[in-house]
């Protein structure tokens, strides 16, 4: 009961959590040992719309045939059950460095969800799932610098790791006080555009969709993240990995998969992201990755062993985002009072990453488009986090 009280206080006023240790987290990897992954049904894409402290996002990552990277994202945030804020973010990255990145982030008014919680609406913004559950349309006119009109259609099944995709937090895991869940459409096609002051940018190409729920304060759930979205002509590889703060034993949890049109090759938690080389950022002392390795393993539905690797250098950083400078006020409130919290996102789009895939005795090598992020929020060393 005392631990619950301390945790509740941390949720409400932003104080640092005590050290509960690894026994206070149940990773989705435990379920994935029995059920590596579960294919998504339409009803699995409902917004949770939690009434307690949480951050829920739907994010669409875009790789256009014309050479642009894009993001369209809705963030639904609840601070301690007291205040709800909704934000729409869009970003266009010019890979040829012809222009600065276009980043737009705006609060949304008059938000609501459809009765079945599958569609989101706000003033000048809508994210709708088609009747067959295969296509999202995203429309936003809340920022005239970037008017969004997109359609994202999955071409491979969606999945969660394990039975329901959930990692649970709490000293009584039958009654957890927090959770983390990621649901993915690993391989999609995109059409539509983002209209800028210089004209429309055509986003016909490939896409990846992630529906994420952090059912607690984000910086209590994870201290750092790694993310990879690889889209090749035939195969897609995705990976989301987070490491908890010392409060939960500095536990690493990964979710990822390999897919091609119409089929998941493998998916689950048997994947990993490693920074092989790093460089200290003189502005904030975070270890910016310079060389990385992503790995996946598992078995196909018919029992063939699968191993996959993407490894290489991040020769040039695409962007570095100071989250506290960029995000809306509600996030600042969520992390208020947390010791050592200084979130930065390092973004990369290496042009020459190659997927090395082995399925049974077959070896496949495929080059594709890549977007990757390394996010640092707080120290993962217990002594550092308490200093």
């Amino acid at each position: 009961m005392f631990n619950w009280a301390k945790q509740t206080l941390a949720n409400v006023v932003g104080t640092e959590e005590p050290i509960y240790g690894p026994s206070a987290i149940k990773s989705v990897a435990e379920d994935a040992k029995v059920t590596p992954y579960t294919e998504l049904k339409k009803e699995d894409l409902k917004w949770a719309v939690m009434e307690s402290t949480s951050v829920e996002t739907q994010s669409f990552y875009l790789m256009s045939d014309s050479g642009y990277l894009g993001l369209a994202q809705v963030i639904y945030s609840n601070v301690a059950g007291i205040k709800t804020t909704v934000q729409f973010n869009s970003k266009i990255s010019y890979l040829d460095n012809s222009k600065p990145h276009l980043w737009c982030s705006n609060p949304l008014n008059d938000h609501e969800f459809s009765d079945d919680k599958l569609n989101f609406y706000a003033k000048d913004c809508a994210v709708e799932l088609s009747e067959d559950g295969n296509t999202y349309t995203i429309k936003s006119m809340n920022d005239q610098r970037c008017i969004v009109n997109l359609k994202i259609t999955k071409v491979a099944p969606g999945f969660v790791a394990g039975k329901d995709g959930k990692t649970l937090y709490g000293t009584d895991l039958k009654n957890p006080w927090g959770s983390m869940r990621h649901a993915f459409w690993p391989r999609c096609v995109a059409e539509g555009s983002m209209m800028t002051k210089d004209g429309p940018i055509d986003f016909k190409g490939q896409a990846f969709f992630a529906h994420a729920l952090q059912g607690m304060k984000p910086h209590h759930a994870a201290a750092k993240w790694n993310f990879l979205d690889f889209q090749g002509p035939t195969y897609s590889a995705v990976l989301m990995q987070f490491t908890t703060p010392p409060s939960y034993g500095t536990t690493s949890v990964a979710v990822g998969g390999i897919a091609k049109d119409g089929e998941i090759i493998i998916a689950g938690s048997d994947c990993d992201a490693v920074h092989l080389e790093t460089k200290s950022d003189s502005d904030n002392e975070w270890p910016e990755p310079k060389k990385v390795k992503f790995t996946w393993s598992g078995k196909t539905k018919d029992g063939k062993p699968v191993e996959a690797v993407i490894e290489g250098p991040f020769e040039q950083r695409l962007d570095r985002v100071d989250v506290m400078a960029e995000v809306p006020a509600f996030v600042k409130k969520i992390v208020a009072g947390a010791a050592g919290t200084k979130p930065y996102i390092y973004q990369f789009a290496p042009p020459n990453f190659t997927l090395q895939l082995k399925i049974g005795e077959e070896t496949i090598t495929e080059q594709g488009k890549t977007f990757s992020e390394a996010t640092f929020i707080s120290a993962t060393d217990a002594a550092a986090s308490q200093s």
Side-chain angles (χ1 to χ4, degrees):
M1 184 64 183
F2 181 57
N3 277 340
W4 176 267
K6 289 189 290 185
Q7 196 276 333
T8 301
L9 179 65
N11 269 350
V12 174
V13 301
T15 59
E16 190 174 9
E17 290 192 295
I19 303 297
Y20 304 113
S23 62
I25 182 171
K26 180 187 176 186
S27 168
V28 68
E30 293 187 34
D31 284 341
K33 291 176 183 177
V34 178
T35 305
Y37 69 94
T38 301
E39 290 191 13
L40 293 176
K41 299 177 182 177
K42 182 180 177 181
E43 55 266 29
D44 298 322
L45 297 169
K46 292 180 179 180
W47 286 84
V49 195
M50 293 181 65
E51 296 182 358
S52 57
T53 297
S54 59
V55 175
E56 187 171 7
T57 60
Q58 286 194 343
S59 305
F60 301 87
Y61 298 88
L62 313 164
M63 296 179 173
S64 76
D65 293 341
S66 51
Y68 300 93
L69 290 180
L71 169 72
Q73 180 184 61
V74 174
I75 304 178
Y76 178 90
S77 175
N78 188 326
V79 180
I82 299 170
K83 181 177 176 60
T84 297
T85 308
V86 187
Q87 199 87 2
F88 185 83
N89 297 331
S90 61
K91 185 172 186 178
I92 299 172
S93 295
Y94 300 84
L95 298 182
D96 59 3
N97 295 316
S98 59
K99 297 178 183 178
H101 307 302
L102 177 59
W103 165 254
C104 301
S105 183
N106 296 276
L108 297 177
N109 298 315
D110 305 325
H111 72 272
E112 62 179 356
F113 298 88
S114 58
D115 291 342
D116 58 12
K117 296 293 192 297
L118 291 171
N119 302 319
F120 167 83
Y121 303 98
K123 183 179 179 181
D124 296 326
C125 184
V127 179
E128 296 181 299
L129 183 63
S130 62
E131 189 64 32
D132 62 9
N134 293 328
T135 299
Y136 275 102
T137 55
I138 306 102
K139 297 183 179 182
S140 173
M141 297 179 61
N142 62 81
D143 193 319
Q144 294 303 304
R145 295 175 298 165
C146 186
I147 297 174
V148 177
N149 185 6
L150 297 167
K151 182 183 289 186
I152 309 297
T153 301
K154 67 176 181 179
V155 294
F159 71 89
V160 292
K163 296 177 294 185
D164 58 11
K166 291 184 179 179
T167 290
L168 304 177
Y169 298 74
T171 49
D172 177 6
L173 291 170
K174 293 182 179 179
N175 298 285
W177 60 48
S179 64
M180 182 85 79
R181 177 183 183 265
H182 290 88
F184 296 147
W185 283 3
R187 187 170 176 85
C188 306
V189 294
E191 55 184 295
S193 67
M194 292 185 179
M195 176 66 76
T196 72
K197 66 177 183 179
D198 297 323
I201 293 181
D202 185 1
F203 269 98
K204 181 180 182 297
Q206 294 175 287
F208 165 68
F209 165 66
H211 186 161
L213 173 63
Q214 298 180 61
M216 58 196 296
K217 284 198 171 189
H219 62 288
H220 287 173
K224 63 181 181 180
W225 293 83
N226 287 297
F227 168 60
L228 176 77
D229 172 20
F230 172 92
Q231 301 293 333
T234 307
Y235 294 92
S236 297
V238 298
L239 192 153
M240 187 79 78
Q241 179 198 55
F242 64 91
T243 302
T244 71
S247 307
Y248 300 98
T250 315
T251 302
S252 178
V253 180
V255 177
I258 310 289
K260 65 178 183 179
D261 287 2
E263 181 183 352
I264 295 174
I265 306 300
I266 56 169
S269 289
D270 199 356
C271 48
D272 194 22
V274 178
H275 296 177
L276 299 175
E277 296 178 12
T278 63
K279 180 183 72 173
S280 179
D281 186 335
S282 58
D283 290 338
N284 54 43
E285 298 182 352
W286 287 127
E288 177 183 350
K290 302 305 295 180
K291 185 178 181 181
V292 292
K293 182 178 182 179
F294 301 92
T295 57
W296 299 258
S297 62
K299 290 185 177 181
T300 63
K301 289 181 177 178
D302 59 1
K304 292 180 181 178
V306 177
E307 299 289 338
V309 178
I310 294 176
E311 180 179 349
F314 285 153
E315 294 177 354
Q316 184 175 355
R317 187 171 70 206
L318 180 69
D319 199 4
R320 185 188 68 175
V321 181
D322 179 353
V323 175
M324 296 302 285
E326 296 283 356
V327 300
F330 73 82
V331 174
K332 296 178 183 179
K333 291 179 181 178
I334 279 181
V335 300
T341 301
K342 49 178 182 178
Y344 277 79
I345 304 173
Y346 296 85
Q347 298 180 330
F348 306 90
N352 54 358
F353 269 20
T354 298
L355 171 67
Q356 300 176 54
L357 177 63
K358 187 174 182 181
I359 305 174
E361 297 302 316
E362 182 184 10
T363 300
I364 300 153
T365 300
E366 182 167 287
Q367 192 167 350
K369 299 174 182 177
T370 307
F371 176 70
S372 184
E373 290 183 331
T375 301
F376 300 94
I377 300 171
S378 60
T380 54
D381 176 78
S385 70
Q386 293 175 342
S387 61

